[in-house]
Amino acid sequence: AQSVTQPDIHITVSEGASLELRCNYSYGATPYLFWYVQSPGQGLQLLLKYFSGDTLVQGIKGFEAEFKRSQSSFNLRKPSVHWSDAAEYFCAVGPYSGGGADGLTFGKGTHLIIQP
Amino acid sequence: DAGVTQSPTHLIKTRGQQVTLRCSPKSGHDTVSWYQQALGQGPQFIFQYYEEEERQRGNFPDRFSGHQFPNYSSELNVNALLLGDSALYLCASSLAGASGPQHFGDGTRLSIL
């Protein structure tokens, strides 16, 4: 069965510092990987996605993620965080079946706190 | 270009009641998926509708059912509500056969008393 692990429940980073959020997945086929962000009381906003090609993908808001097949990881990074980045971050995996039109499996999320 | 819209925003029910949640997909999308997000957890896949039929289902009981209309909008119905059904219910839409991701609405917050 597919699964996603986000090892860090909470992460605290100073404003302007770099950020890395970890994500490990278990999937039996070619995965379709996503990072979503959720602000309090809101839905999920897509930051970036990966299903093939260059293993370093760029997303919105200055985020990037690197796919490492050998480590089954898809870590999210940002060189310099802003106070507005404080939110809940979710990694998700789904089947690459010609569309994002299948059920996704999500991790439990990482809560990002930004210190001034 | 409207994104995914869900109604109502909030809902309070009591145990044993039934509830219907509604979702309009993003313009141009034909597939709707529903997720349940309990407090402090990641979303869990309930089911997906395409061409007015349930195409895929997660590990949820038959109390959870749905419907998709010809205009691609969708409803999620939950019968015999339990306290554990309290959650944020998220709708996501996508285009079948395309490589695009799912786009999410802001959800319906369901509280069971």
Side-chain angles (χ1 to χ4, degrees), chain A residues 20-96:
Chain A
E20 182 170 29
L21 302 183
R22 295 183 291 166
C23 172
N24 293 97
Y25 67 91
S26 174
Y27 198 74
T30 302
Y32 195 178
L33 293 158
F34 307 84
W35 275 99
Y36 285 89
V37 61
Q38 185 177 39
S39 298
Q42 300 294 310
L44 302 175
Q45 181 183 22
L46 178 70
L47 289 175
L48 46 78
K49 64 184 187 292
Y50 172 81
F51 58 87
S52 68
D54 192 348
T55 56
L56 184 64
V57 292
Q58 302 298 319
I60 63 171
K61 304 184 178 185
F63 286 93
E64 65 178 26
E66 186 172 12
F67 171 63
K68 293 185 177 179
R69 185 185 299 275
S70 62
Q71 299 177 19
S72 296
S73 69
F74 188 56
N75 294 348
L76 181 70
R77 301 194 293 249
K78 187 170 185 178
S80 176
V81 298
H82 185 263
W83 64 266
S84 61
D85 293 324
E88 194 79 20
Y89 290 79
F90 293 97
C91 180
V93 66
Y96 178 53

Side-chain angles (χ1 to χ4, degrees), chain B residues 2 9 19 21 28 30 32 42 47 57 62 78 81 85 97 103 110:
Chain B
T9 306
V19 69
L21 311 181
D30 58 7
V32 173
F47 45 52
R57 189 178 184 95
D62 292 345
V78 187
L81 287 166
D85 295 331
H103 293 256
L110 176 63

Side-chain angles (χ1 to χ4, degrees), chain B residues 36-100:
Chain B
Q36 180 195 65
Q37 186 179 18
L39 199 61
Q41 301 294 315
Q44 285 195 297
F45 175 67
I46 302 175
F47 45 52
Q48 182 182 83
Y49 276 83
Y50 172 67
E51 291 190 336
E52 302 181 46
E53 291 191 357
E54 183 181 295
R55 192 172 94 160
Q56 192 182 31
R57 189 178 184 95
N59 188 26
F60 278 80
D62 292 345
R63 297 187 299 108
F64 290 78
S65 64
H67 188 77
Q68 187 179 34
F69 299 93
N71 67 352
Y72 307 121
S73 67
S74 176
E75 289 182 349
L76 164 65
N77 301 293
V78 187
N79 294 322
L81 287 166
L82 304 174
L83 292 178
D85 295 331
S86 294
L88 180 67
Y89 287 85
L90 294 165
C91 171
S93 73
S94 54
L95 181 61
S99 60

Side-chain angles (χ1 to χ4, degrees), chain B residues 8-15 17-19 21 81 86 108-113:
Chain B
T9 306
H10 296 85
L11 204 50
I12 300 175
K13 292 286 187 178
T14 57
R15 282 180 296 175
Q17 284 189 313
Q18 178 264 343
V19 69
L21 311 181
L81 287 166
S86 294
T108 294
R109 172 71 62 186
L110 176 63
S111 299
I112 311 300
L113 303 179

